[in-house]
Amino acid sequence: MQEKYVPAEVEQQAQSHWEQTDAFRAVEDPTRPKYYCLSMFPYPSGKLHMGHVRNYTIGDVLSRHHRMRGYNVLQPMGWDAFGLPAENAAMANAVPPARWTWDNIAYMKKQLRSLGFAIDWSRELATCRPDYYKWNQWLFLRMLERGIAYRKTQVVNWDPVDQTVLANEQVIDGRGWRTGAPVEKREIPGYYLGITRYAEELLADLDQLPGWPERVRTMQANWIGKSYGVRFAFPYELDGKRELMWVFTTRADTIMGVTFCAVAAEHPLATRAARDNPELAAFIDECRHGSVMEADLATMEKKGMPTGIFVEHPLTGEKVEVWVGNYVLMGYGEGAVMAVPAHDERDFHFAQKYGLPIRQVIAVDGETFSLDAWQEWYADKQRGACVNSGRYDGLAYEAAVDAIGADLRARDLGDRQVQWRLRDWGVSRQRYWGCPIPLIHCERCGTVPVPDDQLPVVLPEDCVPDGTGNPLNRREDFLACTCPKCGAPARRETDTMDTFVDSSWYYARYCAPDNAAAMVDARTDYWMPVDQYIGGIEHAILHLLYSRFWSKVMRDLGLVSYGEPFSRLLTQGMVLNHIFSRRTERGGIQYFAPDEVEPNRDEAGQILGATARADGATVDYQGVGTMSKSKRNGVDPQALIEQYGADTARFFMMFASPPEQTLEWSDSGVDGSFRFMKRLWSFGWRYAREIRPLLAGAAPQVPVGQRLDAPAAALRREIHTHLRQANYDFQRLQFNTVASAAMKMLNALERAQPGADGPTHARVCAEGLSILLRLLSPVTPHACHVLWQELGFGANILTAPWPQPLEEALVQDEIELVLQINGKLRGSLRVAAAASREQIEQAALASEPASRHLEGRPAKKVVVVPGRLVNIVA
RNA sequence: GCCGGGAUGGCGGAAUCGGUAGACGCAGCGGACUCAAAAUCCGCCGCCGCAAGGUGUGUGGGUUCGAGUCCCACUCCCGGCACCA
């Protein structure tokens, strides 16, 4: 051991020890409690970013902590290796996505290793490897056999210039990111997975996930969106035929207030009406432009046009005009809605805009209905009762819906129905860098599944996308095949799967990564479900919901025994950084890394804009946002690791804020963490020279019943108090205060002057240091490993028992209480720890501040909070 | 727009069940050591005030002996919105 703290040497020593002893290989062992600790696997974007460091440090702290508490821990790692950024990189650099991806994986793996994570690398997987995605294909075919996977049309963003499908991310203000051309909506066929079949179970099982944050369960429940309503039809006669226009509503109680209906631009009624109405045809064409994103649809201007077609109100027979509305979606519900402008905000604004009638049918006592403004109470179905509704007048929401539902059913025009917001999962992507969908198109036999013994359908790895569609469409060697049914020449499907498929079951594959014959095996039963899953809050809905769905499908196929894959979930807050961008000449968007620009700030230091260092021209400031490859605002932790070492980087990430909170990145503050590491090291150095010799080889625990003088007892009490706090914080996953507790322990040990005070103090000090090193070892494992060994605490800190606070060390004779008068702090009170309420009251009333403030008057009331404070109400 | 979350000194954050607001750090200021600097160590450090004291947890109300914490109304910021991952 040397006096100076040199992180590179310390970390090298610890890491080679772990490697030589294969310390983190996880072996199934039914005699020990298992702990499967999983961090969300990274997309290999190029370099680790701070979000990764945060995520994987949290996972590593938990893994190492549980290991010391006696669990058989599995902490694997892999790569979410398919996806769009690889295609973008390919376009920019003319490198095949496969090559780019594997280079990134190699670099990022080196970075992960340098951070010293306790990962079982023997289980590493990458979703772009055929031995992994073979099982995506295999399970897809099983779903197809059972009708869980099926084909229907989907609406996509279409770039008319590049002649390609765009991801939502590639649409900026309704235009293609590369071409700047207005995006069109286009309907194309695709495959869907029937997640809605599991809606009821996905919703109900949220109650069985107490280890998940409440907010995530709420978000999922709202996303699944179970609602009770009525599906009913408006009859109409057109071209001599009697037809029905179906709608769904959760507000059937307002049915007598319907003054018009609205249908999607793609609705058959709209198509029919446009046949001899060029103006309407033009409007429908206009609706084809713009984005398919819900956020855009919700915020865009609501427009409409009458079709001239009238339908009949199902209860009154009254004529109701049908409009085409750009806000009605064909793919959601029936593609048609009833409009009750008096009691629906969107309908209200639409009616005002186009001068349509508004008919009040709900009244609330004491509230005045007005046509001038939308008011909140209109929408509250728990208040009010029907008016202007004939035989339904006076009925409240539930009763009105019941009566109206019954009347519709009697006429065969509708019934009560449960509706879900959740839609089936569209998994087809018109992209190259993904898992091929294992289907063959035969002229004679139609679409034919690839037989199991021909799996996997291997993706050729040498394509270079150029932005003009899927290059697989031009790969004859991939396309050409024979029909498995009839043997005739046939064509392969070129659509690939959504990358959410890859990430929906990787956690199960880690348990049996080398099984070439099956997707999962008995080892999966040992490790699953994941005991602790850790990942960004941005995955709170989609990834987690898809994984839950996939698990239930695998369970129903008899592949696994669990129905929920993740027992406990920690959603870490995002690491944010400033975002700078600029419009390109073609109307696209270009992002700048924060170190490529010089920010302009106002007097308060707020960033207003910036200039690019490269060309000195202005750049727009977009505020802070999540660190991402596409926005180019990630911070590479490499510099941090090289300058300070992995332990400091890890410690700082944990210390900076609690895991669930968002973290706005800033370099300052790392110095403090490095200073702490240096102080820890030099205290270890001093211990080795001054303190340890006083112990004469004795164990570093204070013997039970050992009498200590007051300063030694105080030091020991402080160490054990911080330990008790830290253990509590570990249990509630608040690691920033664990780091604080470690700092407080070191402060206490340094203050105590242990060497100068003889063997008793040395003993307390040795015990304190042994607690500190064990407490800290999950966070800064390298330095703790070396110090533990060099200072003679034991051979290997990984197998040391987790420290527990001792009652004997915590007892106090006297405690200090806060003294308040009328709720304001006026002093303090020292009392015996065992003092009764009466004794405390008397001591408080007799105190100097009490007599000063009471001036002889009797106190109205004295509030005593045991162990905390006394409040005298004057 | 809808769903979920957040806001505490110059900065990151602490405060466990409604009980001392600002723990632990960063930055800053003052001092020691040094020829000097770096490193290290000691002290000070919410705001107003000479002080006594007052005031203070995004804003405005409320409940309570006592509110960062509970209730009502709002503002701003972040995440998600189904093809970024």
Side-chain angles (χ1 to χ4, degrees):
Chain A
M1 184 183 179
Q2 59 174 8
E3 186 172 5
K4 190 173 172 350
Y5 172 56
V6 183
E9 287 174 23
V10 171
E11 287 165 17
Q12 173 60 42
Q13 186 182 332
Q15 285 173 16
S16 56
H17 178 268
W18 298 329
E19 205 165 314
Q20 278 157 25
T21 54
D22 205 6
F24 307 122
R25 181 182 292 273
V27 178
E28 296 74 25
D29 177 358
T31 65
R32 288 168 62 204
K34 63 97 185 176
Y35 185 78
Y36 184 1
C37 183
L38 181 67
S39 295
M40 289 181 186
F41 64 168
Y43 178 79
S45 56
K47 301 166 177 176
L48 292 186
H49 57 68
M50 287 302 168
H52 291 131
V53 178
R54 193 181 197 193
N55 198 158
Y56 303 138
T57 304
I58 293 166
D60 201 46
V61 167
L62 282 163
S63 289
R64 290 174 177 272
H65 177 231
H66 280 82
R67 184 189 172 107
M68 288 173 77
R69 284 191 178 270
Y71 289 89
N72 186 24
V73 174
L74 167 61
Q75 183 177 228
M77 184 56 72
W79 308 95
D80 189 12
F82 276 137
L84 202 52
E87 299 200 14
N88 296 336
M91 282 181 238
N93 312 316
V95 173
R99 169 80 187 285
W100 180 84
T101 302
W102 286 114
D103 286 351
N104 290 347
I105 287 175
Y107 183 76
M108 289 170 76
K109 185 174 177 180
K110 214 170 89 188
Q111 288 190 301
L112 285 176
R113 281 185 173 279
S114 76
L115 281 159
F117 297 134
I119 290 166
D120 179 356
W121 283 104
S122 74
R123 295 170 185 260
E124 181 181 4
L125 60 80
T127 57
C128 64
R129 282 179 57 125
D131 60 5
Y132 180 81
Y133 67 68
K134 172 183 177 175
W135 302 106
N136 287 353
Q137 297 174 343
W138 183 82
L139 202 80
F140 177 84
L141 293 176
R142 300 293 83 76
M143 291 197 211
L144 204 62
E145 287 161 5
R146 284 158 181 79
I148 300 171
Y150 64 94
R151 187 176 158 97
K152 80 170 183 191
T153 60
Q154 50 178 351
V155 182
V156 296
N157 302 305
W158 180 256
D159 187 318
V161 175
D162 270 350
Q163 292 283 301
T164 189
V165 176
L166 297 178
N168 285 337
E169 188 193 44
Q170 298 171 317
V171 179
I172 316 282
D173 296 338
R175 290 165 182 275
W177 68 333
R178 275 160 37 87
T179 63
V183 169
E184 295 170 15
K185 282 178 230 173
R186 186 170 271 218
E187 282 195 77
I188 59 169
Y191 287 89
Y192 282 80
L193 304 184
I195 190 172
T196 53
R197 291 186 179 199
Y198 287 85
E200 193 78 65
E201 197 189 348
L202 287 166
L203 181 66
D205 286 358
L206 288 172
D207 292 339
Q208 289 161 40
L209 294 171
W212 282 38
E214 190 64 44
R215 58 171 164 162
V216 175
R217 287 187 284 163
T218 306
M219 279 191 264
Q220 292 220 347
N222 290 340
W223 183 263
I224 295 166
K226 186 176 191 175
S227 59
Y228 300 89
V230 174
R231 179 177 178 265
F232 69 95
F234 291 84
Y236 62 97
E237 206 170 285
L238 195 64
D239 304 329
K241 273 186 289 183
R242 195 131 176 95
E243 308 270 359
L244 296 173
M245 185 187 83
W246 288 94
V247 301
F248 174 84
T249 180
T250 56
R251 291 301 307 269
D253 59 320
T254 64
I255 196 167
M256 303 306 268
V258 171
T259 56
F260 64 98
C261 285
V263 298
E266 300 84 6
H267 193 278
L269 268 179
T271 314
R272 169 62 185 79
R275 211 164 67 191
D276 31 45
N277 183 345
E279 218 182 325
L280 184 64
F283 177 68
I284 288 173
D285 190 57
E286 185 193 321
C287 291
R288 280 183 38 243
H289 289 276
S291 129
V292 300
M293 277 179 274
E294 193 192 296
D296 291 337
L297 294 169
T299 50
M300 74 181 178
E301 194 192 347
K302 309 294 180 290
K303 289 186 192 167
M305 189 172 278
T307 59
I309 294 173
F310 286 80
V311 293
E312 292 165 25
H313 192 287
L315 296 179
T316 65
E318 191 184 352
K319 293 285 175 200
V320 176
E321 187 167 30
V322 177
W323 284 59
V324 175
N326 65 348
Y327 59 94
V328 186
L329 295 180
M330 196 58 215
Y332 189 35
E334 305 290 342
V337 294
M338 72 171 196
V340 184
H343 304 288
D344 178 273
E345 186 168 15
R346 192 174 57 185
D347 295 346
F348 177 81
H349 293 303
F350 195 90
Q352 287 220 315
K353 181 170 177 176
Y354 293 106
L356 294 163
I358 297 171
R359 187 189 304 153
Q360 180 191 8
V361 290
I362 301 287
V364 174
D365 281 345
E367 310 270 0
T368 310
F369 185 83
S370 154
L371 286 188
D372 300 331
W374 169 260
Q375 287 165 31
E376 287 297 319
W377 69 263
Y378 301 165
D380 186 350
K381 49 185 160 196
Q382 298 314 322
R383 308 174 69 211
C386 294
V387 292
N388 303 326
S389 298
R391 51 178 299 225
Y392 311 113
D393 278 357
L395 295 180
Y397 174 74
E398 290 289 349
V401 172
D402 282 344
I404 289 164
D407 286 353
L408 286 165
R409 187 167 57 238
R411 290 164 199 234
D412 243 359
L413 285 175
D415 206 344
R416 302 205 63 153
Q417 200 190 37
V418 171
Q419 169 107 342
W420 303 89
R421 207 188 78 93
L422 181 69
R423 309 199 294 258
D424 276 347
W425 176 11
V427 292
S428 296
R429 298 289 179 271
Q430 296 68 45
R431 302 197 196 294
Y432 156 66
W433 191 235
C435 167
I437 293 179
L439 294 172
I440 287 168
H441 300 290
C442 169
E443 275 186 26
R444 210 175 326 161
C445 309
T447 302
V448 183
V450 174
D452 285 356
D453 60 11
Q454 288 174 32
L455 295 181
V457 175
V458 176
L459 185 75
E461 294 209 347
D462 53 357
C463 292
V464 183
D466 59 5
T468 62
N470 188 345
L472 288 178
N473 289 319
R474 302 188 288 267
R475 281 293 293 252
E476 198 50 38
D477 58 340
F478 176 80
L479 289 166
C481 59
T482 53
C483 172
K485 247 189 194 165
C486 71
R491 310 295 275 173
R492 260 185 217 291
E493 171 65 55
T494 57
D495 276 5
T496 53
M497 292 186 200
D498 180 4
T499 55
F500 275 125
V501 170
D502 308 327
S503 55
S504 287
W505 68 283
Y506 73 107
Y507 48 87
R509 185 68 183 174
Y510 278 138
C511 306
D514 52 2
N515 194 329
M519 192 172 185
V520 290
D521 61 32
R523 290 172 291 174
T524 313
D525 289 330
Y526 174 77
W527 291 113
M528 287 296 293
V530 172
D531 294 280
Q532 179 70 63
Y533 197 33
I534 306 131
I537 181 68
E538 71 275 21
H539 294 295
I541 295 173
L542 292 180
H543 162 61
L544 291 169
L545 193 64
Y546 292 147
S547 296
R548 295 180 60 220
F549 159 66
W550 201 274
S551 293
K552 290 177 196 302
V553 172
M554 286 179 74
R555 177 204 59 197
D556 289 349
L557 288 168
L559 296 167
V560 297
S561 48
Y562 56 87
E564 286 291 339
F566 313 122
S567 301
R568 276 180 294 273
L569 175 68
L570 189 160
T571 46
Q572 67 160 350
M574 319 246 341
V575 182
L576 307 180
N577 201 4
H578 303 289
I579 303 168
F580 299 95
S581 71
R582 180 195 283 168
R583 289 294 172 139
T584 62
E585 285 162 20
R586 288 154 82 189
I589 194 155
Q590 182 190 5
Y591 286 96
F592 289 81
D595 61 3
E596 292 171 346
V597 301
E598 192 62 53
N600 313 316
R601 295 168 188 272
D602 68 9
E603 285 166 11
Q606 299 292 308
I607 299 177
L608 301 170
T611 48
R613 288 189 213 280
D615 57 14
T618 57
V619 172
D620 297 327
Y621 178 56
Q622 306 279 320
V624 293
T626 159
M627 284 190 180
S628 79
K629 179 90 177 164
S630 59
K631 289 178 183 144
R632 305 203 57 233
N633 64 339
V635 173
D636 184 3
Q638 198 57 38
L640 202 63
I641 299 168
E642 279 162 20
Q643 189 177 351
Y644 298 101
D647 279 341
T648 296
R650 294 169 58 120
F651 184 90
F652 176 65
M653 274 324 269
M654 291 302 94
F655 180 62
S657 77
E660 304 227 75
Q661 200 162 304
T662 46
L663 188 129
E664 216 171 293
W665 181 253
S666 146
D667 288 322
S668 66
V670 185
D671 275 329
S673 299
F674 187 51
R675 221 168 285 164
F676 171 70
M677 291 310 297
K678 286 190 286 192
R679 275 173 50 209
L680 177 69
W681 188 265
S682 54
F683 188 83
W685 173 255
R686 191 173 144 204
Y687 174 90
R689 290 156 56 101
E690 299 172 25
I691 304 160
R692 199 172 164 213
L694 296 173
L695 296 172
Q701 288 84 39
V702 177
V704 176
Q706 168 86 51
R707 296 182 66 121
L708 301 172
D709 59 30
L715 170 62
R716 192 173 188 225
R717 190 184 313 118
E718 193 176 351
I719 297 285
H720 283 259
T721 303
H722 294 321
L723 173 62
R724 185 174 55 183
Q725 179 65 45
N727 278 347
Y728 174 76
D729 291 339
F730 258 114
Q731 169 234 310
R732 63 173 176 155
L733 311 177
Q734 187 170 289
F735 305 120
N736 57 325
T737 45
V738 170
S740 293
M743 286 177 146
K744 289 175 186 174
M745 280 187 193
L746 183 61
N747 289 348
L749 288 170
E750 285 180 333
R751 261 197 311 268
Q753 296 295 326
D757 291 337
T760 318
H761 281 69
R763 190 58 78 78
V764 171
C765 192
E767 180 186 88
L769 183 58
S770 90
I771 288 172
L772 172 58
L773 289 176
R774 281 176 288 165
L775 178 73
L776 205 52
S777 66
V779 182
T780 61
H782 307 90
C784 293
H785 168 87
V786 172
L787 285 170
W788 187 260
Q789 230 171 29
E790 300 276 343
L791 302 182
F793 286 117
N796 188 354
I797 198 167
L798 287 177
T799 56
W802 191 258
Q804 294 299 341
L806 298 174
E807 269 316 306
E808 184 189 65
L810 291 166
V811 288
Q812 285 183 90
D813 302 338
E814 263 198 337
I815 53 169
E816 194 165 84
L817 296 181
V818 163
L819 177 61
Q820 289 184 345
I821 291 159
N822 290 329
K824 293 203 179 203
L825 178 69
R826 294 297 177 193
S828 66
L829 215 55
R830 273 201 88 77
V831 297
S836 68
R837 194 173 278 265
E838 289 71 29
Q839 288 170 318
I840 292 169
E841 249 180 65
Q842 278 175 14
L845 290 169
S847 69
E848 186 275 326
S851 52
R852 184 151 48 91
H853 283 85
L854 287 171
E855 291 169 335
R857 296 183 308 259
K860 280 195 194 129
K861 187 176 172 184
V862 182
V863 181
V864 177
V865 182
R868 287 217 171 249
L869 63 68
V870 192
N871 185 18
I872 299 170
V873 185

